[in-house]
Amino acid sequence: MVGQAILRRLEHEPCEVLKITHDELDLTRQQDTENWIESTKPDVVIIAAAKVGGIGANMNAPAEFIYQNMAIAQNVIHGAYKAGVEKLLFLGSSCIYPREAKQPITEDCLLSAPLELTNEAYAIAKIAGVKLAQFYRKQYGCDYISAMPTNLYGPNDNFDPETGHVIPALIHKIHKAKKEEIASVAIWGTGAPSREFMHVDDLADALVHVLKQYSSENPINIGSGEELSIMETAKLIQDIIGYDGELVYNSLKPDGVPRKILDSSKLYGLGWKPTIALKEGLEQTYTWYCDALSHDKAR
Ligand code: GFB
């Protein structure tokens, strides 16, 4: 999802984009990764590749989340350093911050208290990536930076109801319930937690801005300021889809972090702001999903 959005955004920049698919290069293989970076010699590297998933996927496969994400960060960052890459942007996640972080979360909260347990494996791997970027800057003087996006959604997301994040999972479940005239849809948890959501095209635009404007060892938050409870999010998706059945909250399922909203004042201070409102972004994403389903392309 993020990689595709960055490609769409880079069509408007005067640069040559070097890309390779997962089938052609497995970034967890160190030698293959180093060879590809050495042979293509990019000026800039953006690390958007990752093993990602919603709260269910994170809880069910912590070994895959920690291993794959640490390997990708380590192989790409070290490979970039060896090939003399001038600028590198590592993408972290808002879940690197402590579970009980003061809200909105500022960048300096990193490692100040314990992490949320449902995604600890993913968070540890992403923190390792942030630290790699910092230490390659400190020891070798590399201009490597890291950005922490808030919860994302948009075209090419993973719409699987078990492994996806809340927005694509609910689009899948509520769309199916409407089509098959199912009377109710199960929503995980109490509905009380809140999340800040950002459309992936806004993220891609922010990343290009940050690449041009930002150089520091400190990570930079990328948020939208659009915060909703899970209950409000589910109702909004229900309205957009036009489903008149019932939403039933299953409190046996995990809530995760009670609240997660980023303080993005550092980013906004660089002259960037989001342009896609949540309702508009969700409508566009639902249209994309219906179209992808009709072409058998939705995950
Ligand atoms: O999107 P989500 O999985 O991400 O869940 P997290 C957000 C909230 O939505 C949680 C609730 O309180 C879930 O219990 N929820 C309700 C659902 N129904 C559903 C559903 O059908 N599917 C899902 N997935 N959630 C992730 C991390 O945490 O955030 C990742 O696990 C990553 O590592 C990502 O960092 C940004 O915000 O809880």
Side-chain angles (χ1 to χ4, degrees):
M1 173 174 75
V2 173
Q4 292 292 332
I6 294 171
L7 290 181
R8 286 194 293 279
R9 175 62 184 80
L10 289 179
E11 282 171 14
H12 307 289
E13 293 295 317
C15 63
E16 181 194 354
V17 180
L18 307 166
K19 55 182 179 182
I20 188 153
T21 65
H22 185 270
D23 289 342
E24 293 164 312
L25 176 64
D26 177 352
L27 295 172
T28 67
R29 312 310 305 166
Q30 182 177 18
Q31 198 58 56
D32 296 348
T33 304
E34 288 186 4
N35 290 348
W36 188 74
I37 300 175
E38 183 58 41
S39 66
T40 49
K41 287 256 180 242
D43 300 310
V44 177
V45 166
I46 305 173
I47 309 181
K51 161 99 181 153
V52 295
I55 193 166
N58 273 266
M59 290 175 74
N60 289 334
E64 290 171 40
F65 275 80
I66 195 163
Y67 166 68
Q68 292 185 31
N69 288 307
M70 281 182 64
I72 292 169
Q74 162 160 311
N75 295 342
V76 180
I77 291 175
H78 190 64
Y81 159 66
K82 280 175 69 178
V85 169
E86 285 163 28
K87 183 106 190 178
L88 177 142
L89 170 56
F90 175 73
L91 275 185
S93 163
S94 57
C95 73
I96 66 163
Y97 295 117
R99 174 183 162 85
E100 306 290 345
K102 191 165 152 273
Q103 310 281 327
I105 309 170
T106 48
E107 291 89 350
D108 59 8
C109 284
L110 184 61
L111 293 174
S112 60
L115 296 164
E116 158 66 23
L117 290 180
T118 56
N119 55 35
E120 189 186 20
Y122 180 73
I124 294 276
K126 287 293 181 183
I127 292 171
V130 172
K131 289 289 163 191
L132 279 161
Q134 280 180 351
F135 289 130
Y136 276 63
R137 170 182 292 270
K138 189 172 180 185
Q139 185 173 347
Y140 305 126
C142 303
D143 188 1
Y144 294 176
I145 57 175
S146 38
M148 302 308 124
T150 197
N151 284 43
L152 302 168
Y153 70 94
N156 301 300
D157 207 345
N158 170 18
F159 289 83
D160 183 281
E162 297 305 320
T163 61
H165 287 99
V166 60
I167 287 181
L170 293 191
I171 289 179
H172 176 115
K173 292 199 272 195
I174 298 176
H175 175 81
K176 184 169 185 281
K178 183 186 173 186
K179 229 177 96 200
E180 298 176 9
E181 297 179 4
I182 300 167
S184 66
V185 170
I187 313 291
W188 295 355
T190 59
S194 73
R195 295 289 183 270
E196 178 191 30
F197 295 109
M198 177 183 247
H199 191 281
V200 71
D201 285 339
D202 264 343
L203 171 77
D205 192 56
L207 294 179
V208 171
H209 193 82
V210 160
L211 268 172
K212 292 179 181 174
Q213 307 281 339
Y214 192 69
S215 175
S216 166
E217 65 173 316
N218 299 317
I220 184 163
N221 288 342
I222 304 201
S224 63
E226 294 241 40
E227 184 188 15
L228 253 64
S229 72
I230 296 305
M231 206 175 275
E232 288 165 335
T233 310
K235 284 194 184 129
L236 185 55
I237 294 173
Q238 178 181 29
D239 278 357
I240 289 169
I241 296 180
Y243 170 65
D244 51 19
E246 204 188 341
L247 304 179
V248 181
Y249 289 86
N250 178 358
S251 52
L252 297 176
K253 291 280 191 183
D255 267 345
V257 184
R259 188 177 179 210
K260 198 161 50 168
I261 178 158
L262 293 177
D263 180 325
S264 302
S265 39
K266 201 149 88 174
L267 171 67
Y268 299 166
L270 294 176
W272 185 87
K273 56 178 184 346
T275 59
I276 307 174
L278 183 59
K279 185 163 182 288
E280 175 202 341
L282 288 176
E283 284 166 352
Q284 183 251 31
T285 303
Y286 180 54
T287 304
W288 182 92
Y289 175 69
C290 293
D291 188 55
L293 271 187
S294 69
H295 294 93
D296 213 16
K297 280 192 321 208
R299 279 201 290 161

